Amino acid sequence: MKKSIFKFLSISLFSVFMISCTEKKAAKPVTLIMAEVNPESSLCGQMDLAFKEKVEELSNGSIIVDLRCSGVLGDESQILKQMFDKDDNSIQLARVSANLSSYGATKSKLINIPYTFSNSEHFWTFAASDLAKEILTEPYTKNLGVRGLCYAEEGFRNFFMTQKLTKVEDFQGKKMRVSGQILTSLADSLQAEPVKIPFTDLFLAMQTGQVEVADQPISNYLSNSLYKAAPYMIQDGHMLGGIQIIISSAAWDSLTEKQQQIIEESALYAANILRIKGEEFEQKAISQMQAEGVEFIPVKDIDSWRKASKKVITELSKDYPEIYQQILDMNK
């Protein structure tokens, strides 16, 4: 009798073990689609790739990041429109610009105010602060539909042109590509004509004369071949190219606490990869483009550019003067 009971229990335990193993084998990995407007070879693309690889490594392949580069899922405005739409969960992750104020994350506009960051170290000090985390998670706490995971930067943004411009006054009347409130305000302050053009259409717009001036970090200027349409860049450094990785709130809430930790850890890892690669990438980019005839124009009088932007700075920081001052004070 005892042997029969023991045999029954052994068979039962073996069956439970086999069922458990079968269930584990049958469990499908979580797949998260990630959008990037730049090519995979770009600085941002390399950051995304580092994020993807680290997520898959730390999760032992149980989380897959399906990275789609080169704007195949649309330009940034189209991507963000989908991600902020709570009924549309077709894109779960994206690398986008740091400023999401037009979608309700109003504090984030402080990051892109002209001449806020004096240098890269100033930005990275901010990015590691509790204040940065507060601004990152603002859209999530406001139930807007996304959550920021990390900040990073792709270098200072400079103006590039189809014809050589060397000072503030030269921008008067020029057709400038804009993509939001801050660039529109900056164009107005320079007395340029703002023209709203999707990033994916910018190259053709500059080739055809629809746009004469635009701005990007040096890395994107190279990786998107924009220098071939506009071979002059003035190094005014009006804004730091602040960026972030975001995840849809629906995707975030569907993850376990452990999976959320993996996603956050991987985002911070990727941001650090970008920090390491950024300066070297930029110097190589400048040398490569100079060899192809691009002219980089230094700015000797940066105060004239700051003076032209004073009204913009005051207007954009007026809602959060104390927070903005905290960011400025992080410049050690």
Side-chain angles (χ1 to χ4, degrees):
M1 182 67 175
K2 289 182 179 179
K3 287 183 178 180
S4 298
I5 293 172
F6 179 77
K7 185 177 181 181
F8 173 76
L9 289 173
S10 297
I11 293 171
S12 298
L13 288 171
F14 180 75
S15 299
V16 169
F17 174 75
M18 290 302 294
I19 291 170
S20 176
C21 289
T22 303
E23 286 177 348
K24 287 180 181 178
K25 288 181 181 179
K28 292 183 179 179
V30 174
T31 298
L32 303 173
I33 296 174
M34 182 173 187
E36 170 60 65
V37 298
N38 293 297
E40 188 176 300
S41 60
S42 69
L43 204 52
C44 287
Q46 291 180 46
M47 174 186 173
D48 299 337
L49 192 58
F51 171 72
K52 166 186 168 65
E53 291 173 348
K54 182 57 70 172
V55 168
E56 294 173 1
E57 173 196 332
L58 294 180
S59 70
N60 293 317
S62 65
I63 306 174
I64 303 297
V65 177
D66 183 359
L67 179 59
R68 314 277 185 90
C69 295
S70 301
V72 296
L73 296 178
D75 62 29
E76 185 166 303
S77 62
Q78 293 169 323
I79 292 165
L80 286 170
K81 184 178 180 182
Q82 286 179 257
M83 292 192 71
F84 275 92
D85 183 349
K86 296 173 187 177
D87 295 323
D88 184 348
N89 198 34
S90 56
I91 301 174
Q92 291 81 46
L93 289 159
R95 194 287 312 162
V96 297
S97 55
N99 180 18
L100 299 178
S101 58
S102 59
Y103 296 89
T106 51
K107 292 178 185 176
S108 65
K109 68 183 175 184
L110 300 175
I111 300 166
N112 278 9
I113 294 176
Y115 304 107
T116 294
F117 296 102
S118 301
N119 49 50
S120 292
E121 287 303 314
H122 183 187
F123 173 83
W124 287 107
T125 299
F126 159 76
S129 69
D130 290 338
L131 180 57
K133 189 167 185 179
E134 175 189 327
I135 299 174
L136 265 174
T137 56
E138 181 189 11
Y140 184 74
T141 56
K142 284 185 172 180
N143 195 29
L144 299 176
V146 304
R147 185 186 191 280
L149 296 171
C150 71
Y151 281 129
E153 55 93 3
E154 49 183 342
F156 282 92
R157 296 176 75 100
N158 300 302
F159 289 117
F160 54 95
M161 306 84 64
T162 56
Q163 56 185 293
K164 187 175 180 178
L165 307 176
T166 61
K167 55 186 183 297
V168 172
E169 293 78 14
D170 293 342
F171 284 71
Q172 185 174 347
K174 301 301 180 186
K175 291 176 283 188
M176 181 185 295
R177 183 258 176 174
V178 299
S179 56
Q181 177 196 0
I182 293 178
L183 280 177
T184 300
S185 297
L186 192 55
D188 290 339
S189 70
L190 297 174
Q191 299 181 53
E193 178 187 342
V195 181
K196 196 165 186 178
I197 295 287
F199 182 73
T200 48
D201 297 337
L202 181 54
F203 185 93
L204 182 60
M206 300 203 85
Q207 271 193 325
T208 59
Q210 188 179 357
V211 171
E212 299 168 283
V213 179
D215 84 317
Q216 282 293 311
I218 289 171
S219 57
N220 286 349
Y221 182 50
L222 170 65
S223 60
N224 292 280
S225 300
L226 293 165
Y227 67 95
K228 295 180 180 180
Y232 302 96
M233 174 173 272
I234 186 164
Q235 294 177 282
D236 66 298
H238 51 275
M239 288 189 294
L240 191 68
I243 58 176
Q244 63 180 310
I245 295 176
I246 62 172
I247 185 170
S248 71
S249 297
W252 177 258
D253 292 339
S254 71
L255 300 174
T256 66
E257 185 176 343
K258 176 63 176 176
Q259 289 172 327
Q260 290 175 346
Q261 289 173 356
I262 288 171
I263 293 292
E264 282 195 302
E265 183 179 337
S266 300
L268 292 171
Y269 167 82
N272 193 52
I273 290 292
L274 183 62
R275 183 180 187 179
I276 294 168
K277 289 186 174 184
E279 187 174 340
E280 181 183 356
F281 188 100
E282 189 166 286
Q283 291 305 314
K284 286 182 178 179
I286 289 174
S287 297
Q288 179 181 332
M289 288 185 284
Q290 283 177 327
E292 295 187 45
V294 175
E295 184 173 352
F296 289 88
I297 305 156
V299 172
K300 297 178 181 178
D301 180 21
I302 198 67
D303 287 338
S304 63
W305 294 84
R306 288 196 179 100
K307 186 177 179 181
S309 304
K310 186 176 181 180
K311 184 178 178 182
V312 181
I313 295 169
T314 302
E315 177 63 27
L316 294 174
S317 62
K318 68 179 184 180
D319 293 334
Y320 302 102
E322 293 181 2
I323 296 177
Y324 186 61
Q325 190 59 50
Q326 286 180 52
I327 295 174
L328 295 177
D329 291 342
M330 289 180 189
N331 183 28
K332 303 299 182 183

